[in-house]
Amino acid sequence: MSSHTAHKQYEKEGKPIAFSPEILEKVKQIIKRYPEGRQNSALLPVLHIAQEEFGGYLSVDVMDYVASLLHIKPIEVYEVSTFYTQYYPEKRGKYMIEVCHTGPCAICGGEHISKRLQEKLGVKLNQTTADGLFTIKEVECLGACGFAPVMQINTEFYEKLTPEKIDTIIDDLKQRASEPQPQQQKWVERFF
Amino acid sequence: MIKITIDNITAEVPEGTTILQAARQIGGDIVPPTMCYYSKLKGTGGKCRTCLVKVVKGSEADPRPMPKLVASCSTLAQDGMVVENTLSQEVMDARKAIVEFLLINHPLDCPVCDQAGECDLQNLSYKHGVEGTRYEEDRREFDVIDIGDKIKLHMNRCILCYRCVYTMNQLTDNRNHGVLFRGDAAEIGTYIKNTIEQEFSGNIIDVCPVGALTDRTFRFKSRVWFLKPMDAHRDCPHCAGKVTVWEFGNQIYRVTGRKNEFGEVDDFICNECRFEKKDIHDWVIEGPRKITPRSVISQNHYRNTKKQSIILPLDEKTEPQQQ
Amino acid sequence: MGRKILLEHIDVPGINTFDVYRAHGGYKAAEKALKEMSAAQVVEEVKSAGLRGRGGAGFPTGMKWSFLDKKSANPTYLVCNADESEPGTFKDRYLMEHIPHMLIEGVIISSYAIGCNTAYIYVRGEFKYIIGILNKAIREAHANGFLGNNIQGSGFNLEIHVHSGAGAYICGEETALLESLEGKRGNPRLKPPFPAVKGLYESPTVVNNVETLATVVGIINIGAATYAGIGVGKSSGTKLISACGNINKPGVYEIELGIPVEEFIYSDVYCGGIKDGKKLKAVIPGGSSVPILPQNLVCKTANGDVRLMSYESLADGGFQTGSMLGSGGFIVLDEDACVVRHTYTLARFYRHESCGQCSPCREGTGWMEKVLYRIENGEGRMHDIDLLVNISKNIEGNTICPLGDAAAWPVAAAIRHFRHEFEFHVKHPEIVKNIDHGSLEKFNI
C-alpha cells in the first residue's frame, strides 16, 4: 500500500456563512464560559456546533467564519480541525457510522461488524452511500469496551453488536430517514 | 551565578540558563546537537529529542540523578548539577535511535537537495547515525509544492521541528501556514491554496534544519560548497541589512542570514534583501564569512583552509590544521 | 461483596436526578465540607485517606493539591479529566452517565479545598450525550443552591463548565488536555513547569480524573480513617474496575482494593469467569498501555504469592513478571485470542493517537505498527521480532509525554511473554494469512 499523500489544498468558496441569531446567542454564551481574553478556548465546542449547523462538515468558509467569531487566524482553526478526528473536512453521510476496531472490541468481533456494514451498505471504509445517508469509518477506542463490539452513529452509541443486529439498525435508520421526524430538542441544547 | 558540570567541564552560568545554553557557553564537542531548538525563537525546543542528555546529579541541594534522559534545550541548569553528554553511552545510544527515527521517513535525496552541505540532519546522521537502515516499510511521501514564488516546500524532508511556525508567529502577525493533521500524518501546510510571502517570511528557509523549505530563486543553481560566503551589508529600510551573500565569481547566487556556529542566524533579514538584491553592487562586502574548517562548505574555494586530499570523518578527533 | 462507596446507590431509579441523589445522602458531603471544615482540613482529609489518582498514574491526590503555587497572582483552576479513552477503560463514562451529581459534588468539594472558583470538566468528544447529562446536573445543582455564588450560605462561589473534546486520546494527558481546553491542538507541554505552577491560562491548576473527584465525596462522608481502613497498604479504598474482553460479565465493578485477581475474574459477583467455558490466556489489568500478563502470572506473582487487585501487587515483579493497576481497564483474553493481532490493534491505536510532536513517538509508533502488520499478515521475518523490541526500547523514556511509553510497553510485554506466538506467525504465513478477521485495513495516512 502506498503512503503517498498529496498536500490537499482546499478551496475557499466565499459563500456567506452566519449562525442564526438563536444559535449565535448560544455560541456567545459558550464563549463567556472562558475568561476575558481567552475566547479562543471555545474553539472546540464552537466547531462542533458549526459542523452540525452547516451541513455536517467544516468547509473552509465555515472555519473562516468561526475564526472571525473568536478573533483568531484561520490557520489556527485549520490546525485544530485537522488534529481532532471528529471534525470532517468533507461532506459525509447523514449518518456517520464509526465502528471501533481497537483491541477490546476487536477480540469481541468488532472487525466482523465493520465487514458486515461494508457488505450491507455496499461501500468501503471512508466512503458514502449513493443516497447520501451513510458513511462508514473505523475508529479507535470509543470508551465502551464492556459492551463490545461497539459503534457510534452520529452521537448515539450502539453496543453489543452482532452482524445480524447491523441489518436491523441500518434498515431502521433508512426507515427513519424517509419519515418526517418529530420535533426534537435542538442539537445544540441537548449537548451544549 | 550557578555551577554546572557537563562532561567533566565546569562552567558558571546565570540562574535560568538551560543545560544547552551552558554547554554552548563551554563550546566544542560537548555541545548537544539540536534540530528543533532555536535560541532566537521563543517556545522552540523539546520536540526532536536529539539534545537529550543524562543528569547524573540533579543539584547540590538535591543530588539525586534524574530518572530519564532530559532535553537539554528545555531543562534548566541547577547549582551543582552534573550532566553527561558524550561521556554517557546511554545518551549516545538514544541519540543514535533518534537519528534513526528522523531518517526512516526522510527521502535521503541529498544528491538533489539544495540543503545538502549545510543540512543539520546530514551532519547529525554523519556523526551519530549508522550505515544502512533497518526500515523496510513504505516511506511517507508528499507532493512537492510551491508556497509562493520564492519558497518551495518539500514535505518529505520535513522533520516537524515547528521552527517555521514559530518564525511566522513571531516575525509576522499574519501567519498562514502551520502544522496540520497529527502523528506521522502531520504536515506543514497552508490547508487552503495560499502563499507565504509576508515580509520576513524568507527566514523560514534559514531556520529550516533540513531541505524542506528552500529558496526557489536559488533552486538547483549550485551546490553550496562551490560558493563563497561573504559577509555583506546594505542600508535596508526593513531590516538590519546584515547578510551573507554566496558568490561565484562576481555573481551573487543567493543571500541568507548570517549563521553562527550553531546554525542560527544573527539577525533575521527581510525578503527584499534575500530575494531581490542579487547584484554585487547592491552590497558592501565586508569579507569572508567565518566557517568552521570542518564544514563541507570550506572544502573548496574557501580561504583560511588548506585543501584536504581526504575528507575526514566529523568524529575524527584530529582537527584539520588551520593556517 | 465489598464495601461500595461510589456505586452504593447506582441501581436506585432516578439517581441521576438531583432530588433522588439528594434523598440518598447526596450533597451532604458538600454541605459538611463547606460549612464545617476549612479548606486545609479537606486537603488533610484527602491526604490521610491515602487517595491515589484513579486516572492511571496513581499519584497521591492530596499531595498533588498541595503542590499548587499559592503565591501566584492568577486564579486557581480545577479541571476534571473526563477524556476517558484508554482502551479497556469505561468506568468514568459509567459514573457520569448514571450518577452525574456525584462528580458535580466531588468537583464542588475539591474546588473548595484548593480555592478554585471556576472548574472545567473536559469530556471526550465522543461522549456528547454525557455532556448533556452533566449540563443538566449542573443546572439542577445551580437551582438548588449548590453552584453559583455563596453556595449554601458558606460564602464560597463556584461555576462548573463542561468542555467538549473532539476525538484525541492524547488529550487525556493532562497538559495536552489543558492545551485542548485553551482551544489548541492537543500537543502535550514540556514539563516543568507542571500544571500546579503553570497550568490552564498560565495559572495554578489541578487536573483530576472523574473517579478521583467522585471518591472525594465518599471520603468526606465516611471520614478519612474509615476510608483508609479499606484496602491494603498504600492501595486504600475502593476502585472502579472496568472489565471487558472474553468474560461472562463485562461491566464496571467497584472493588475494595486488595481482593485477589482470581476472585475478580472467576467470582460471579465480578467477571463471572471466562466466556464459553474457555481457558484464560492473558490479562491486561490496567488499560491497554500496561504490560500484558500471561495466564501463569495473573493469579499468582512470580514468587508464588497470591496476586491482588492493588497498585503494589499488580506491579510485583516489575515489568519482567508484573504489570500495573493503571486506570483499572481490565482486558481478558481467552485461549483463542491472538496476542499478535491484539498487539497489532493496540500499536495501530497508539500510532493513530500520537500527536506527532516529538520524533521517537511520531516515527516509532508508525514503524511498530507497520512491522506488526506484516507479521500479522504472514509477511514477517524472525529478525522483525527483535526489531520490534528494539524500537520499543528506543521510544521508551525518550518522549515528551507518557504516550511513548504507553505505546512501547504493550509491544515489549507481548513479545516478552508470547514470543512463541510471534514466531508462529513468521513460521506459518499460510495459516495466518487465511484467518478471517473481518475487516483489516491498514491505517491510512
PDB file of all heavy atoms in Angstrom, chain A residues 131-150:
ATOM      1  N   ASP A 131     -27.029   7.256  -1.779  1.00  0.00           N
ATOM      2  CA  ASP A 131     -28.170   8.051  -1.332  1.00  0.00           C
ATOM      3  C   ASP A 131     -27.766   9.132  -0.320  1.00  0.00           C
ATOM      4  O   ASP A 131     -28.626   9.868   0.185  1.00  0.00           O
ATOM      5  CB  ASP A 131     -29.254   7.142  -0.741  1.00  0.00           C
ATOM      6  CG  ASP A 131     -28.717   6.277   0.403  1.00  0.00           C
ATOM      7  OD1 ASP A 131     -27.564   6.504   0.836  1.00  0.00           O
ATOM      8  OD2 ASP A 131     -29.435   5.371   0.873  1.00  0.00           O
ATOM      9  N   GLY A 132     -26.473   9.206  -0.031  1.00  0.00           N
ATOM     10  CA  GLY A 132     -26.002  10.261   0.867  1.00  0.00           C
ATOM     11  C   GLY A 132     -26.352  10.014   2.326  1.00  0.00           C
ATOM     12  O   GLY A 132     -26.215  10.899   3.152  1.00  0.00           O
ATOM     13  N   LEU A 133     -26.787   8.795   2.640  1.00  0.00           N
ATOM     14  CA  LEU A 133     -27.221   8.547   4.018  1.00  0.00           C
ATOM     15  C   LEU A 133     -26.090   8.122   4.948  1.00  0.00           C
ATOM     16  O   LEU A 133     -26.019   8.544   6.089  1.00  0.00           O
ATOM     17  CB  LEU A 133     -28.321   7.480   4.035  1.00  0.00           C
ATOM     18  CG  LEU A 133     -29.736   7.935   3.683  1.00  0.00           C
ATOM     19  CD1 LEU A 133     -30.713   6.766   3.825  1.00  0.00           C
ATOM     20  CD2 LEU A 133     -30.171   9.085   4.581  1.00  0.00           C
ATOM     21  N   PHE A 134     -25.223   7.220   4.450  1.00  0.00           N
ATOM     22  CA  PHE A 134     -24.271   6.592   5.376  1.00  0.00           C
ATOM     23  C   PHE A 134     -22.812   6.771   4.953  1.00  0.00           C
ATOM     24  O   PHE A 134     -22.486   6.635   3.777  1.00  0.00           O
ATOM     25  CB  PHE A 134     -24.547   5.083   5.475  1.00  0.00           C
ATOM     26  CG  PHE A 134     -25.922   4.752   5.956  1.00  0.00           C
ATOM     27  CD1 PHE A 134     -26.938   4.447   5.037  1.00  0.00           C
ATOM     28  CD2 PHE A 134     -26.220   4.749   7.308  1.00  0.00           C
ATOM     29  CE1 PHE A 134     -28.220   4.137   5.480  1.00  0.00           C
ATOM     30  CE2 PHE A 134     -27.497   4.446   7.750  1.00  0.00           C
ATOM     31  CZ  PHE A 134     -28.505   4.136   6.830  1.00  0.00           C
ATOM     32  N   THR A 135     -21.973   7.035   5.919  1.00  0.00           N
ATOM     33  CA  THR A 135     -20.531   6.955   5.714  1.00  0.00           C
ATOM     34  C   THR A 135     -19.988   6.017   6.788  1.00  0.00           C
ATOM     35  O   THR A 135     -20.400   6.117   7.945  1.00  0.00           O
ATOM     36  CB  THR A 135     -19.856   8.338   5.883  1.00  0.00           C
ATOM     37  OG1 THR A 135     -20.518   9.262   5.019  1.00  0.00           O
ATOM     38  CG2 THR A 135     -18.380   8.293   5.543  1.00  0.00           C
ATOM     39  N   ILE A 136     -19.108   5.092   6.402  1.00  0.00           N
ATOM     40  CA  ILE A 136     -18.534   4.177   7.403  1.00  0.00           C
ATOM     41  C   ILE A 136     -17.082   4.543   7.648  1.00  0.00           C
ATOM     42  O   ILE A 136     -16.324   4.827   6.721  1.00  0.00           O
ATOM     43  CB  ILE A 136     -18.546   2.706   6.938  1.00  0.00           C
ATOM     44  CG1 ILE A 136     -19.862   2.351   6.253  1.00  0.00           C
ATOM     45  CG2 ILE A 136     -18.285   1.770   8.108  1.00  0.00           C
ATOM     46  CD1 ILE A 136     -19.844   0.956   5.652  1.00  0.00           C
ATOM     47  N   LYS A 137     -16.734   4.508   8.903  1.00  0.00           N
ATOM     48  CA  LYS A 137     -15.353   4.808   9.278  1.00  0.00           C
ATOM     49  C   LYS A 137     -14.972   3.867  10.415  1.00  0.00           C
ATOM     50  O   LYS A 137     -15.795   3.605  11.287  1.00  0.00           O
ATOM     51  CB  LYS A 137     -15.316   6.261   9.755  1.00  0.00           C
ATOM     52  CG  LYS A 137     -13.955   6.883   9.866  1.00  0.00           C
ATOM     53  CD  LYS A 137     -14.111   8.363  10.240  1.00  0.00           C
ATOM     54  CE  LYS A 137     -12.893   8.865  10.961  1.00  0.00           C
ATOM     55  NZ  LYS A 137     -13.130  10.135  11.655  1.00  0.00           N
ATOM     56  N   GLU A 138     -13.754   3.330  10.368  1.00  0.00           N
ATOM     57  CA  GLU A 138     -13.269   2.583  11.521  1.00  0.00           C
ATOM     58  C   GLU A 138     -12.556   3.563  12.429  1.00  0.00           C
ATOM     59  O   GLU A 138     -11.756   4.368  11.958  1.00  0.00           O
ATOM     60  CB  GLU A 138     -12.314   1.465  11.081  1.00  0.00           C
ATOM     61  CG  GLU A 138     -13.051   0.238  10.564  1.00  0.00           C
ATOM     62  CD  GLU A 138     -12.113  -0.902  10.175  1.00  0.00           C
ATOM     63  OE1 GLU A 138     -10.892  -0.729  10.249  1.00  0.00           O
ATOM     64  OE2 GLU A 138     -12.633  -1.963   9.787  1.00  0.00           O
ATOM     65  N   VAL A 139     -12.873   3.510  13.709  1.00  0.00           N
ATOM     66  CA  VAL A 139     -12.254   4.456  14.636  1.00  0.00           C
ATOM     67  C   VAL A 139     -11.582   3.707  15.777  1.00  0.00           C
ATOM     68  O   VAL A 139     -11.812   2.508  15.974  1.00  0.00           O
ATOM     69  CB  VAL A 139     -13.291   5.447  15.222  1.00  0.00           C
ATOM     70  CG1 VAL A 139     -13.863   6.319  14.130  1.00  0.00           C
ATOM     71  CG2 VAL A 139     -14.391   4.720  15.971  1.00  0.00           C
ATOM     72  N   GLU A 140     -10.768   4.436  16.500  1.00  0.00           N
ATOM     73  CA  GLU A 140     -10.116   3.854  17.662  1.00  0.00           C
ATOM     74  C   GLU A 140     -11.024   4.031  18.879  1.00  0.00           C
ATOM     75  O   GLU A 140     -11.968   4.805  18.861  1.00  0.00           O
ATOM     76  CB  GLU A 140      -8.753   4.505  17.880  1.00  0.00           C
ATOM     77  CG  GLU A 140      -7.781   4.346  16.695  1.00  0.00           C
ATOM     78  CD  GLU A 140      -7.401   2.904  16.387  1.00  0.00           C
ATOM     79  OE1 GLU A 140      -7.694   2.015  17.211  1.00  0.00           O
ATOM     80  OE2 GLU A 140      -6.825   2.659  15.309  1.00  0.00           O
ATOM     81  N   CYS A 141     -10.672   3.296  19.915  1.00  0.00           N
ATOM     82  CA  CYS A 141     -11.489   3.120  21.124  1.00  0.00           C
ATOM     83  C   CYS A 141     -12.544   4.193  21.407  1.00  0.00           C
ATOM     84  O   CYS A 141     -12.248   5.367  21.554  1.00  0.00           O
ATOM     85  CB  CYS A 141     -10.579   3.021  22.339  1.00  0.00           C
ATOM     86  SG  CYS A 141     -11.467   2.494  23.811  1.00  0.00           S
ATOM     87  N   LEU A 142     -13.790   3.762  21.513  1.00  0.00           N
ATOM     88  CA  LEU A 142     -14.898   4.668  21.819  1.00  0.00           C
ATOM     89  C   LEU A 142     -15.200   4.700  23.317  1.00  0.00           C
ATOM     90  O   LEU A 142     -16.142   5.350  23.751  1.00  0.00           O
ATOM     91  CB  LEU A 142     -16.146   4.242  21.048  1.00  0.00           C
ATOM     92  CG  LEU A 142     -16.133   4.515  19.533  1.00  0.00           C
ATOM     93  CD1 LEU A 142     -17.301   3.826  18.848  1.00  0.00           C
ATOM     94  CD2 LEU A 142     -16.169   5.998  19.255  1.00  0.00           C
ATOM     95  N   GLY A 143     -14.448   3.969  24.101  1.00  0.00           N
ATOM     96  CA  GLY A 143     -14.637   4.013  25.554  1.00  0.00           C
ATOM     97  C   GLY A 143     -15.887   3.293  26.008  1.00  0.00           C
ATOM     98  O   GLY A 143     -16.566   3.727  26.936  1.00  0.00           O
ATOM     99  N   ALA A 144     -16.225   2.204  25.359  1.00  0.00           N
ATOM    100  CA  ALA A 144     -17.386   1.426  25.771  1.00  0.00           C
ATOM    101  C   ALA A 144     -17.048  -0.057  25.673  1.00  0.00           C
ATOM    102  O   ALA A 144     -17.873  -0.880  25.304  1.00  0.00           O
ATOM    103  CB  ALA A 144     -18.580   1.776  24.887  1.00  0.00           C
ATOM    104  N   CYS A 145     -15.806  -0.382  26.047  1.00  0.00           N
ATOM    105  CA  CYS A 145     -15.241  -1.710  25.807  1.00  0.00           C
ATOM    106  C   CYS A 145     -16.042  -2.831  26.466  1.00  0.00           C
ATOM    107  O   CYS A 145     -16.001  -3.976  26.021  1.00  0.00           O
ATOM    108  CB  CYS A 145     -13.807  -1.756  26.302  1.00  0.00           C
ATOM    109  SG  CYS A 145     -12.899  -0.252  25.954  1.00  0.00           S
ATOM    110  N   GLY A 146     -16.753  -2.537  27.540  1.00  0.00           N
ATOM    111  CA  GLY A 146     -17.524  -3.565  28.230  1.00  0.00           C
ATOM    112  C   GLY A 146     -18.753  -3.988  27.446  1.00  0.00           C
ATOM    113  O   GLY A 146     -19.402  -4.966  27.795  1.00  0.00           O
ATOM    114  N   PHE A 147     -19.083  -3.220  26.434  1.00  0.00           N
ATOM    115  CA  PHE A 147     -20.278  -3.508  25.646  1.00  0.00           C
ATOM    116  C   PHE A 147     -19.890  -3.840  24.218  1.00  0.00           C
ATOM    117  O   PHE A 147     -20.627  -3.601  23.279  1.00  0.00           O
ATOM    118  CB  PHE A 147     -21.238  -2.315  25.722  1.00  0.00           C
ATOM    119  CG  PHE A 147     -21.292  -1.700  27.097  1.00  0.00           C
ATOM    120  CD1 PHE A 147     -20.569  -0.565  27.407  1.00  0.00           C
ATOM    121  CD2 PHE A 147     -22.026  -2.330  28.105  1.00  0.00           C
ATOM    122  CE1 PHE A 147     -20.579  -0.032  28.688  1.00  0.00           C
ATOM    123  CE2 PHE A 147     -22.037  -1.794  29.389  1.00  0.00           C
ATOM    124  CZ  PHE A 147     -21.317  -0.651  29.690  1.00  0.00           C
ATOM    125  N   ALA A 148     -18.662  -4.352  24.064  1.00  0.00           N
ATOM    126  CA  ALA A 148     -18.095  -4.610  22.749  1.00  0.00           C
ATOM    127  C   ALA A 148     -18.867  -5.718  22.035  1.00  0.00           C
ATOM    128  O   ALA A 148     -19.391  -6.610  22.695  1.00  0.00           O
ATOM    129  CB  ALA A 148     -16.636  -5.017  22.906  1.00  0.00           C
ATOM    130  N   PRO A 149     -18.863  -5.693  20.688  1.00  0.00           N
ATOM    131  CA  PRO A 149     -18.357  -4.621  19.827  1.00  0.00           C
ATOM    132  C   PRO A 149     -19.301  -3.419  19.776  1.00  0.00           C
ATOM    133  O   PRO A 149     -20.503  -3.569  19.936  1.00  0.00           O
ATOM    134  CB  PRO A 149     -18.272  -5.278  18.456  1.00  0.00           C
ATOM    135  CG  PRO A 149     -18.845  -6.639  18.567  1.00  0.00           C
ATOM    136  CD  PRO A 149     -19.343  -6.862  19.926  1.00  0.00           C
ATOM    137  N   VAL A 150     -18.704  -2.284  19.524  1.00  0.00           N
ATOM    138  CA  VAL A 150     -19.428  -1.026  19.649  1.00  0.00           C
ATOM    139  C   VAL A 150     -19.292  -0.189  18.385  1.00  0.00           C
ATOM    140  O   VAL A 150     -18.272  -0.244  17.714  1.00  0.00           O
ATOM    141  CB  VAL A 150     -18.814  -0.203  20.817  1.00  0.00           C
ATOM    142  CG1 VAL A 150     -19.509   1.128  20.972  1.00  0.00           C
ATOM    143  CG2 VAL A 150     -18.891  -0.976  22.104  1.00  0.00           C
TER     144      VAL A 150
END
